[in-house]
Amino acid sequence: MKVDELDAKIVRLFTEEQRMSVLEASRILKVARATVQARLDRMIASGVIARWAPEPEPRAFGFPVVAFCFLTINQDLGHDAVSKTLAEIPEVIEVHTVSGDSDLMARVAARSNSDLQRVLDIIMATKAVVRSSSVIALNTHFEGRTLPLLEAAARA
C-alpha cells in the first residue's frame, strides 16, 4: 500500500499517544474526523498498522537480559514445526528464519545470565534444535524502529 504524509502524521500521533481519540487527532491535524478514521481503517486493513495493543517491556517485569540465539534446527522437522515448538517457551520472544550458518535467529529474554542458560537448556531439550550460538545484548539503544521508515516512504 502506498502511504502519504498524512498517513505518516496519523501514525506518529497514535504512536506517541496511543490513547488519543480520533476526534483529538483530527483537531491536531486539522482534517475531518472521518478522514482520520478512514485512513486508520485503510492502514489496518492493508497491514501497514500491524498491531494496536500494549507491548509489555520484559526489562520492566524482571527480564533484563536479552540474547540473540542463532539456532541450527533438526531439518526433518522443518522451520514451521520448530518455530511452533519454540513459541511454547515464554522467554523466546521472536523467531526469524535467517540466511547464513544458522537456520533461525531467536530473541530471548532472561532474568539473569544463569537464567539464560536455563532457557537455552530448555530450547536444546526440545530436540528441535541441534546446535545454538548466542550473543548477549549489553545495551539496547533502540528497537522496534519502524516509524522513521514509514515517514520516509510517505515522502517518497
Side-chain angles (χ1 to χ4, degrees):
M1 178 190 133
K2 181 147 176 56
V3 293
D4 63 20
E5 291 194 36
L6 179 57
D7 293 326
K9 288 177 183 177
I10 290 169
V11 173
R12 177 166 287 284
L13 271 178
F14 284 99
T15 298
E16 291 174 351
E17 184 55 56
Q18 297 90 0
R19 297 177 66 170
M20 177 180 290
S21 71
V22 172
L23 181 59
E24 186 177 356
S26 72
R27 287 180 182 154
I28 291 169
L29 296 169
K30 297 180 175 32
V31 296
R33 187 204 61 75
T35 299
V36 174
Q37 188 64 61
R39 297 280 187 122
L40 285 170
D41 291 344
R42 180 175 52 91
M43 288 187 284
I44 291 167
S46 67
V48 170
I49 296 175
R51 294 176 212 72
W52 204 282
E55 187 174 334
E57 174 53 60
R59 288 181 289 267
F61 56 91
F63 292 82
V65 175
V66 174
F68 296 92
C69 305
F70 300 92
L71 309 173
T72 302
I73 67 169
N74 180 339
Q75 295 295 320
D76 292 339
L77 299 175
H79 290 81
D80 291 339
V82 173
S83 295
K84 205 179 245 186
T85 299
L86 294 173
E88 294 174 12
I89 304 168
E91 294 87 352
V92 177
I93 51 182
E94 283 182 38
V95 174
H96 305 272
T97 297
V98 295
S99 61
D101 294 334
S102 301
D103 299 309
L104 299 174
M105 183 186 78
R107 184 165 62 115
V108 173
R111 293 184 183 279
S112 64
N113 288 352
S114 59
D115 188 49
L116 176 60
Q117 180 62 60
R118 177 191 62 81
V119 175
L120 293 172
D121 289 345
I122 291 169
I123 290 170
M124 295 306 294
T126 66
K127 303 298 184 204
V129 175
V130 295
R131 186 172 52 251
S132 73
S133 171
S134 302
V135 286
I136 296 173
L138 300 176
N139 190 15
T140 300
H141 299 278
F142 58 81
E143 59 188 351
R145 188 175 176 264
T146 56
L147 187 56
L149 180 61
L150 175 72
E151 291 170 335
R155 288 190 298 273

